[in-house]
Amino acid sequence: DSGVTQTPKHLITATGQRVTLRCSPRSGDLSVYWYQQSLDQGLQFLIQYYNGEERAKGNILERFSAQQFPDLHSELNLSSLELGDSALYFCASSVASNNEQFFGPGTRLTVL
Amino acid sequence: DAKTTQPTSMDCAEGRAANLPCNHSTISGNEYVYWYRQIHSQGPQYIIHGLKNNETNEMASLIITEDRKSSTLILPHATLRDTAVYYCIVRVEEYGIKLVFGAGTILRVKS
């Protein structure tokens, strides 16, 4: 158990819909990262937040957005969903002193 | 980030040492070598990292060549639960830098 929690574990929805994925980092970790893992693209970095502020952006679509709240939990919002958005979405957190990122168990999103 | 090259897959007998190679010939002087693994769609798990000296922890050992152009992750006594995809990543030791995952090596530990 990494100490990072993600909800829900599974999510099934239809094209065009909007969903919100939630992540709670390890206690004391200020930084949260979101990654997407699909069969054809592998693990890809989406976005990072540090103490409530966006720090870095990766291959994140404009239909996707994220935020980190004062209690440091983070949410990833996916809208106008397409079939190709079906993937595993992982959240990770880290402390300031090194790059060891702790990953949550992921949310499996299925868009039908 | 420097590019890494890993074999697509490897097999290892249970109880034997698993040696996973990684080539990173374009690594820069300030880039570290990190290893993560992912067991069957679970979240990736940090294993070990190093700069130029060999490193060992409770999970594995990391051997980095003197010219730093390649490294080997060693699982000393592989078990069936070590079957996973192993990712070698090189990047600077700077807080908040994203991880760039390649295809990794599928390690199959067989009884």
Side-chain angles (χ1 to χ4, degrees), chain A residues 26 29 33 93-95 97-103, chain B residues 34 36 45-47 49 91 93 99:
Chain A
R26 293 188 322 151
D29 287 358
Y33 311 76
S93 71
S94 69
V95 295
S97 60
N98 59 46
N99 282 314
E100 182 181 342
Q101 294 182 19
F102 294 87
F103 283 77
Chain B
Y34 279 77
Y36 281 76
Q45 177 189 23
Y46 165 82
I47 302 173
H49 76 284
R91 26 97 55 95
E93 181 80 348
L99 293 170

Side-chain angles (χ1 to χ4, degrees), chain A residues 20-39:
Chain A
T20 297
L21 313 184
R22 182 188 168 104
C23 167
S24 292
R26 293 188 322 151
S27 177
D29 287 358
L30 299 178
S31 203
V32 169
Y33 311 76
W34 286 97
Y35 293 83
Q36 178 193 55
Q37 185 172 34
S38 58
L39 280 174

Side-chain angles (χ1 to χ4, degrees), chain A residues 31-86:
Chain A
S31 203
V32 169
Y33 311 76
W34 286 97
Y35 293 83
Q36 178 193 55
Q37 185 172 34
S38 58
L39 280 174
D40 56 344
Q41 294 288 329
L43 263 162
Q44 291 208 311
F45 169 74
L46 294 178
I47 197 165
Q48 180 212 351
Y49 277 81
Y50 173 76
N51 202 22
E53 293 192 1
E54 183 183 303
R55 175 63 67 92
K57 252 183 176 177
N59 301 320
I60 188 166
L61 300 171
E62 283 191 15
R63 301 183 284 110
F64 296 0
S65 65
Q67 54 183 329
Q68 186 178 28
F69 295 87
D71 67 353
L72 300 178
H73 91 270
S74 178
E75 292 180 357
L76 179 67
N77 301 296
L78 315 176
S79 61
S80 303
L81 286 168
E82 301 174 0
L83 296 178
D85 297 327
S86 295

